[in-house]
Amino acid sequence: MQLKKCVNNIMENILKSLDKLKPQNEEEAIKQKRLIAYGAIPNLITSIVMVTIGGMHNNDEDCPGKEATQFLLVGGSVLAASSVIKLYYLTNIEMLRKFADIFYPLLDLTYFCLIIWGSVKVFGKIHQFTIVILTFEMCCITGVYDEWTSEDNTSANYCVNTAFMMAFVTLIVYWIIMPLSICGYCFYHICCKK
């Protein structure tokens, strides 16, 4: 009985905290949607770069396995679609806003799944990878699969440095920014918002 009461109190507190995340009035809702739209602009630029680099190197000579280039093409396309839909929040057309309300969460979920897929494919190609910038060794990462190379173009794990590094950096940045943005959003709305 005591455990049930404790669980109910915890659930009530969670529901109250989630209610704080919802916009309290129309002005807050508009402000929140504009923030979503303005946040889509850097994602749109990133997606254009991803699709461009992925498209340029998606062939058997530049990347025989095509894991990195496929991630760049598919992930960049989904990210671009999601970003364009989020920009609909800047319009005054109500039908476009309803369209955005339905489809951008689905595309964001799809992009999250693609990030997981890309992480397995791209990070799986790293066995002993060293980033050398201006002859300074920055880091050494050890993985579990075959060794990626950008020098031996006869290797099955060969991929052009530009395509592989774009996929690699995109994934690393996503895995750093995504949890930080979720924590910051929740912290702001639960703790700082009155």
Side-chain angles (χ1 to χ4, degrees), residues 29-115:
I30 290 171
K31 192 183 292 185
Q32 191 175 39
K33 289 180 180 184
R34 283 189 180 150
L35 281 174
I36 291 171
Y38 293 136
I41 294 170
N43 284 344
L44 183 60
I45 294 167
T46 303
S47 66
I48 291 169
V49 172
M50 287 172 68
V51 170
T52 303
I53 291 175
M56 285 178 12
H57 298 292
N58 192 28
N59 56 54
D60 289 333
E61 291 149 10
D62 288 346
C63 225
K66 296 185 182 176
E67 284 93 354
T69 55
Q70 285 177 347
F71 165 72
L72 290 173
L73 284 171
V74 177
S77 300
V78 171
L79 185 61
S82 175
S83 299
V84 168
I85 288 173
K86 288 175 187 175
L87 291 176
Y88 288 154
Y89 283 131
L90 297 176
T91 67
N92 290 330
I93 304 168
E94 190 60 34
M95 288 300 290
L96 290 178
R97 289 183 181 191
K98 287 181 182 178
F99 176 78
D101 283 340
I102 294 169
F103 284 104
Y104 99 76
L106 294 175
L107 287 171
D108 283 349
L109 179 64
T110 304
Y111 186 67
F112 179 72
C113 294
L114 286 171
I115 288 290

Side-chain angles (χ1 to χ4, degrees), residues 2-15:
Q2 193 73 350
L3 179 64
K4 186 176 181 180
K5 187 176 181 181
C6 182
V7 169
N8 285 338
N9 285 339
I10 292 171
M11 291 304 293
E12 285 177 22
N13 288 334
I14 290 172
L15 290 175

Side-chain angles (χ1 to χ4, degrees), residues 32 52 60 123 125 135 151 162 189:
Q32 191 175 39
T52 303
D60 289 333
F123 295 151
K125 286 294 178 186
T135 68
E151 296 166 1
T162 307
H189 281 286

